[in-house]
Amino acid sequence: LHRAGGSSEPTREPRSRARSRLFAYNNSSPAAPPARQFTMAQQMDPIAGYATTMKIVSPGDGAAVKAGDTVTVHATGVVKETDKKFWSTKDPGQQPFTYQAGVGGVITGWDQGCLGMQIGEVRLLEIPAHEGYGANGFPAWGIPPGGTLFFTLECLKIE
């Protein structure tokens, strides 16, 4: 929400501008605040059968992630409504995250959104609440009830 022309009445910024403000954080320097890597000027692509959408930010190559693979990624999560980062494997003291893809071990949007990724690929996911942390959110991480999430995933390893 923004205040228009000094008015005390809040106004919503156009969706396209709100999207261009959002996402992906580059944590290359622990001392520096997060810096925007790219903007969301383009439309997100659908994931068949799911409300989660995705955009390939940087293509990878080689084998693609399939259900049952053990995958290691760098991941950064941001709450869409607050534009606040709640977790990143690139933060000091964190390590890449390893999980089994496509079998329900992580939130649905991530679980399905990672399928098809290739080594080196960076992908942005927009995950609605019902495919994320749901109506209750995850307050301990600052994810509000019904919060939509953006995750930037970088595929490091597929086994």
Side-chain angles (χ1 to χ4, degrees), residues 65-71 99-103 115 159:
V65 174
K66 60 188 180 308
D69 286 345
T70 299
V71 183
Y99 64 101
Q100 193 172 13
V103 297
L115 297 176
E159 298 179 90

Side-chain angles (χ1 to χ4, degrees), residues 21-75:
R21 268 189 324 102
L22 294 171
F23 223 59
Y25 289 94
N26 174 359
N27 298 316
S28 59
S29 171
R36 305 297 162 137
Q37 290 189 100
F38 62 93
T39 62
M40 287 307 305
Q42 298 180 15
Q43 285 287 85
M44 301 283 277
D45 298 318
I47 296 172
Y50 295 89
T52 295
T53 56
M54 56 82 78
K55 177 57 68 185
I56 296 173
V57 177
S58 177
D61 58 19
V65 174
K66 60 188 180 308
D69 286 345
T70 299
V71 183
T72 300
V73 297
H74 269 307

Side-chain angles (χ1 to χ4, degrees), residues 96-152:
F97 182 71
T98 300
Y99 64 101
Q100 193 172 13
V103 297
V106 293
I107 59 174
T108 301
W110 178 336
D111 201 37
Q112 297 303 307
C114 74
L115 297 176
M117 286 186 78
Q118 296 177 297
I119 299 291
E121 181 178 323
V122 177
R123 185 177 286 194
L124 175 66
L125 303 175
E126 182 174 355
I127 303 173
H130 70 280
E131 292 179 2
Y133 290 99
N136 294 327
F138 197 130
W141 281 8
I143 300 170
T148 297
L149 308 176
F150 284 109
F151 268 101
T152 302

